[in-house]
Each structure stands twice: as structure tokens, then as C-alpha cells.
Amino acid sequence: MPSNNFGRAATVALTLGSTAVNAFWRLECPGSIGLARIDPLMDFDGVSGHVHALKGGSAFSAKSKAEDLLKSKCTSCGVKQDKSAYWAPPLYFQADDGTLEIVPEKPPFKAYYELNAGKTADGKDQTIEAFPNGFQMIAGDNLRRNTTLSGPDPDTSGFKGPYSDKSNNEREQLAIGFNCMNYGFNGKPKNEEDALYRHHMPEKSWIDEHCGDGIRLELQFPSCWNGEMDGGVDHKDHVAYPEWINGGDCPAGFDRRFPALMFETIVETEKFVGKGGKFVLGNGDPTGYGYHGDFISAWDEGVLEKAVTQCLDPYGDMKNCPVFEFADDAASCTLETMPDELKDEKNEGPIPHLPGGCEVQSGPERATKGKGASGSSSGGKSSKGSSPVNKSKDESPAAKKESFPVADAPAESKPEGGVFAETEQKHEDKHEEKKEEVEEKVEEKAPEPVAAAPAPEITSAPQQAPAADNAGKVIRTDIYTSNGIVYKNLVVVKEVTVMEGAKEKRTPEDGAEHLKRHAHRHEHVKRHGHGGRRLR
């Protein structure tokens, strides 16, 4: 594994227990315990409607609780004291003839634990707390196939306080990323995109042309907490995003603060260059708007509590954490028990349809349950519904102390980064829990296109950032019309200076240059807030 010990001339202030902390660690998971239609949160003790890529403790099952995960014989992640479960839908390539094939991941999968404290709604400093064992949550919306954002990367300065988006709807949409990877090793110009830069799946033709080293799937979880161990049938109501998605202050009612957890998966889309078809997530989503992930915390006793106060490397290298013990069998760790009804299911392909018969639904209306989208299975033992909701409050000492669719226009006529016509989808989700079954009623109206939103303004970095020339140069303006809507794209070139590190050998094969840049990127996040907004 390449080293990440860079030059550290800059002084980094660490103030645990009060304001924001410039530290994080990348939990690297070189292996995967499997691909399977298992989801103990949304399809407890049953078969999920869609497939997931599973990481973490080998005892993971459709009935997983923390006490089960802690008995795991191994973990696919690099820290042996962490038996937590991390899962999200994988990416598939669907050929023009309809057949599907899994898009291989480029290990390691990474779970970022970012130590970004802030303030409560009434101005009190927050302390970063460890996830208690048994805590569980979901980020993202499995059924979303559209966006209410004004563009792929809207200006997030408007997300600073006072906190107005109480539903977290827009922040949740900003918390996903599909970023283009091109290290410049393939003869094409180097392309570097920051975390959470793009919030939808680009067209395949654009990916083929620009992303010579694949794309990076990203998912940021909420980090503001109300003290509940679970959040209702959606497993979300107990958490909220801070002002800047992964940093800033918390809304009223969510006074406590966790590490900001983020999933990162790099996938080998370059394997399919020149092949006719499209990329589709395992939940039947070709838009990317429905990307989501799940988490159950299960750390050996006391380890995570020590980590949030002692793992203070500003460059995120988990090897520099003094409390971690490292697993040597993570790459070979697999699921201990596969349910009988899933043992013969083919998940990698080529296959004629997504596992479980999950239907590809492009929107713009919300995806429909009962078609394998979520919450119900197609084949095998039927799901018994969402995981039983744990209504209990955390009883730790800290708790006692203070109780718009992707356009069909050809890629060359619509460069990435342009302005999308804003669409607004009105829907109402109502949940009723009856015994062990959960039903969802959805009323919705298909979005209607409105006038194109203005291009998001490129803003200067906050004042505390090192001085820099933020002037960009507009090199091209593209104007085109689609469905009666006029689109205008400004292509801007911006030179940036990347922090130089200590001398170390880096080769195209190990991709270490990406790790170096990405480490610096996350340091920038700690200082300036939301990881999806950068000068470019």
C-alpha cells in the first residue's frame, strides 16, 4: 500500500471537544465480503429487492445487529477491531442488448471518518463522539430519480446558517458524488475533480472520453445527531446534515456530533470504453440520484472512543492511528453464511436482468416499489419489512450530560458542468408500520421543466484560506436548446497549486498520486466546509 506521509510544513490546529478539527482517517477495506441481496435495515430477516456490495464484518446477515457483527471471524476492512457493516449498491454496465455485467471495483473501498465538529443551533461548541455500537443509519434516497437542485454543483454558500432546510432534502442530494478519474497516464490531459463535485451519473459517452481511470462513487452521511439509536422506518430521522454537508453547525434538535462518515468506491468504467450501453446502479438507477448506503456500527469496546481523540493525522493515514490493530486477512475475508435462497443467484454477470429481477427505472418520477427497487423482493423468501426500530436513547456518559434528470442530449452537445433546467418533483411519503410490515404510500407529480437556472457562481475561498489567485478564464461558451429550453454552458479553466509532499516513488500502477491529492482535498474540506464546492 502506498505511503501517504507528505511534507507537513503547515501547522494544523486540533481542538477536540470544541470547534472544527482538521483530522480524519481513511478506513481502507481491501476486500469485500460479497455481493448479495441482503439489507438488515430495509429488509430485515428477508431478501432485499436489490443487490448490495458488502464490506465489514463477516457475520453480516439479514438479521444483523451489533452483537452479531462483533462475533465476526474477520473483517474485509483494514482495522481488525472494526466489525461494522458498510453496504451500498454496486455499479453495472448494461449493454444495448440488455445484458448486464458488474463494473469491477478498484480496491480499497474507503470509509472516511472525518472529525469535523461545529456548534449547536444555540451556539454551544460540540464534541466529536464515537458511534455507539448498534447505531444504524441510511444516507441517500433509493427511490429518487430526479433532482430539485439548480445544477450539478450549485453554490453552497447559501447553505450557511440559519439552517432553513429542515428536511435535509437538498443537502442529501449534495451528499452524493460521481467524479471523473484521469491521472494523465493514458495520454489524455490529467483531470482532477474534488470530492462530491458532481451529483449525478454522467452519460457513458462522456465517461468514455474523459474518465480514463474510472469514476469515483461517493456518499456522505449526516453527522448531526439527536441521541436516538435509530431513525424510524427510513432510518434517517435521528440524524441531520450540518450546514456544509460534512462541516459547519448543526440544526436545532441535533446537538450532538459524530464523525462525518463518507463512502468512496472507485470503479473500472474504462473496461467498457467503446461498448454500446449505459451504467446502472444495482438498485435499477441509471441517473445516480438514487445512490444510497447503509451503516451499522460495531467496534470493539472502547476503540472508536479512543480513535476520535487520538487518530489526529491531518492527512488521513489510518496507519498513523496509535489505537488501531491491522488485519492481514482483510482481502480474503468473505461472508460466513449466505442465505440458501441466494446461494445460486448470479450477481456478477453477464446476466439478463439485475439480481432479483430489479427493474431499471430512469424517472423522472420516483422509482416504484414492488419492482425490486427496495423494501420487497422478487424471488426467494419475501422480506419482513424494515429493521425493527430502536426507539431508545443513547445512555453513554455524554448522553447523560446533555440529554433534475440527466438529459438525453449527446455528450458533445452538453459538456459536463453545464446548467441543468431545474425540475421540481412534488411527492409525499407516508409510512405506516403494522406489526412487522411497512407500507409506503407515495403521491407524486411528474416534474415539469421550467426556465433554465442561472449558472452557479464560482466563489472565492473563505478568508482563512491561504491567499490565492481565484481568477478563472472562460475558454468557451456553449448555447443549445433542448425541449424548448435554452441552456448556456461556460467552460472555465482554473489553475490550482497542489501541496507538494515528501519525496516518495509513485507509479501509474499504484495510483498513489490520486491518494496524495485526495488526502489534501479532505484537509481542505476541514478548513472550508462542504466537500462538493470547489473553485474550478
Side-chain angles (χ1 to χ4, degrees), residues 145-163:
R145 297 294 186 270
N146 197 0
T147 183
T148 58
L149 299 176
S150 59
D153 186 32
D155 184 354
T156 59
S157 62
F159 286 87
K160 298 178 183 178
Y163 200 106

Side-chain angles (χ1 to χ4, degrees), residues 116-118 126-129 223-224 242 246-248 250 255-258:
N116 299 337
Q126 293 176 310
T127 299
I128 298 289
E129 301 180 44
S223 55
C224 300
N246 77 332
C250 288
D255 292 343
R256 300 171 67 180
R257 196 64 170 258
F258 284 140

Side-chain angles (χ1 to χ4, degrees), residues 19-81:
T19 55
V21 178
N22 245 352
F24 67 103
W25 70 84
R26 287 184 301 272
L27 176 70
E28 297 187 352
C29 304
S32 175
I33 55 175
L35 284 171
R37 289 192 295 128
I38 301 175
D39 187 344
L41 295 194
M42 293 307 296
D43 297 279
F44 185 77
D45 195 20
V47 176
S48 174
H50 62 266
V51 68
H52 299 95
L54 312 174
K55 321 290 182 183
S58 59
F60 183 77
S61 74
K63 297 191 290 185
S64 284
K65 295 294 183 183
E67 55 265 32
D68 306 312
L69 292 168
L70 287 168
K71 298 174 184 176
S72 296
K73 296 177 181 178
C74 61
T75 173
S76 67
C77 296
V79 175
K80 65 170 60 176
Q81 302 113 309

Side-chain angles (χ1 to χ4, degrees), residues 144-156 159 165 168-177 196-200 245 288-289 404-406 418-425 447 450-454 456 487 530 532:
R144 181 179 282 125
R145 297 294 186 270
N146 197 0
T147 183
T148 58
L149 299 176
S150 59
D153 186 32
D155 184 354
T156 59
F159 286 87
D165 181 21
N168 275 290
N169 179 53
E170 290 193 356
R171 286 173 173 81
E172 185 175 63
Q173 295 176 68
L174 290 167
I176 58 177
L196 305 179
Y197 173 89
R198 178 184 293 101
H199 311 298
H200 69 279
I245 316 305
Y289 296 127
F404 46 89
V406 178
V419 178
F420 281 51
E422 181 178 4
T423 58
E424 183 173 337
Q425 179 173 326
V450 297
Y487 294 83
H530 173 226

Side-chain angles (χ1 to χ4, degrees), residues 258-282:
F258 284 140
L261 181 69
M262 189 181 88
F263 290 1
E264 178 186 284
T265 307
I266 299 176
V267 290
E268 196 176 347
T269 53
E270 67 269 29
K271 178 180 177 182
F272 302 93
V273 169
K275 297 182 179 180
K278 61 186 176 183
F279 294 113
V280 180
L281 290 169

Side-chain angles (χ1 to χ4, degrees), residues 334-374:
T334 59
L335 202 64
E336 294 175 24
T337 304
M338 180 69 75
D340 289 341
E341 55 269 47
L342 298 179
K343 285 181 178 178
D344 296 326
E345 187 163 76
K346 296 181 179 179
N347 295 312
E348 296 189 10
I351 48 180
H353 51 69
L354 288 170
C358 182
E359 202 173 294
V360 176
Q361 301 181 66
S362 301
E365 64 278 359
R366 286 175 65 78
T368 306
K369 282 189 176 183
K371 296 184 178 180
S374 82

Side-chain angles (χ1 to χ4, degrees), residues 98-363:
T99 59
L100 295 112
E101 181 180 349
I102 198 78
V103 180
E105 292 184 10
K106 297 182 179 182
F109 163 88
K110 303 180 189 72
Y112 286 76
Y113 282 72
E114 303 171 294
L115 305 179
N116 299 337
K119 293 181 182 294
T120 63
D122 56 359
K124 296 178 182 177
D125 289 336
Q126 293 176 310
T127 299
I128 298 289
E129 301 180 44
F131 296 111
N133 279 345
F135 175 84
Q136 51 195 33
M137 64 176 168
I138 292 176
D141 183 345
N142 171 46
L143 301 179
R144 181 179 282 125
R145 297 294 186 270
N146 197 0
T147 183
T148 58
L149 299 176
S150 59
D153 186 32
D155 184 354
T156 59
S157 62
F159 286 87
K160 298 178 183 178
Y163 200 106
S164 58
D165 181 21
K166 297 186 185 302
S167 71
N168 275 290
N169 179 53
E170 290 193 356
R171 286 173 173 81
E172 185 175 63
Q173 295 176 68
L174 290 167
I176 58 177
F178 295 87
N179 294 348
C180 182
M181 309 296 292
N182 194 335
Y183 305 133
F185 301 141
N186 52 14
K188 296 182 179 180
K190 185 183 296 186
N191 179 49
E192 181 182 357
E193 295 183 349
D194 289 305
L196 305 179
Y197 173 89
R198 178 184 293 101
H199 311 298
H200 69 279
M201 181 83 71
E203 296 284 348
K204 182 181 180 297
S205 57
W206 192 91
I207 293 174
D208 285 358
E209 182 179 354
H210 296 91
C211 310
D213 295 291
I215 60 174
R216 190 174 68 230
L217 280 60
E218 298 168 333
L219 180 66
Q220 186 81 54
F221 284 74
S223 55
C224 300
W225 185 38
N226 69 4
E228 300 281 355
M229 293 292 284
D230 198 357
V233 293
D234 280 339
H235 308 283
K236 294 181 181 181
D237 295 346
H238 57 326
V239 288
Y241 285 99
E243 292 174 295
W244 304 317
I245 316 305
N246 77 332
D249 299 337
C250 288
F254 297 86
D255 292 343
R256 300 171 67 180
R257 196 64 170 258
F258 284 140
L261 181 69
M262 189 181 88
F263 290 1
E264 178 186 284
T265 307
I266 299 176
V267 290
E268 196 176 347
T269 53
E270 67 269 29
K271 178 180 177 182
F272 302 93
V273 169
K275 297 182 179 180
K278 61 186 176 183
F279 294 113
V280 180
L281 290 169
N283 61 334
D285 176 22
T287 71
Y289 296 127
Y291 190 48
H292 62 284
D294 306 56
F295 169 67
I296 299 177
S297 180
W299 285 75
D300 286 355
E301 186 176 358
V303 173
L304 191 56
E305 288 79 2
K306 292 177 182 177
V308 297
T309 61
Q310 297 181 39
C311 300
L312 306 180
D313 183 9
Y315 302 103
D317 190 345
M318 70 179 188
K319 294 294 179 67
N320 291 335
C321 179
V323 302
F324 289 162
E325 297 175 7
F326 301 104
D328 55 10
D329 59 350
S332 59
C333 184
T334 59
L335 202 64
E336 294 175 24
T337 304
M338 180 69 75
D340 289 341
E341 55 269 47
L342 298 179
K343 285 181 178 178
D344 296 326
E345 187 163 76
K346 296 181 179 179
N347 295 312
E348 296 189 10
I351 48 180
H353 51 69
L354 288 170
C358 182
E359 202 173 294
V360 176
Q361 301 181 66
S362 301

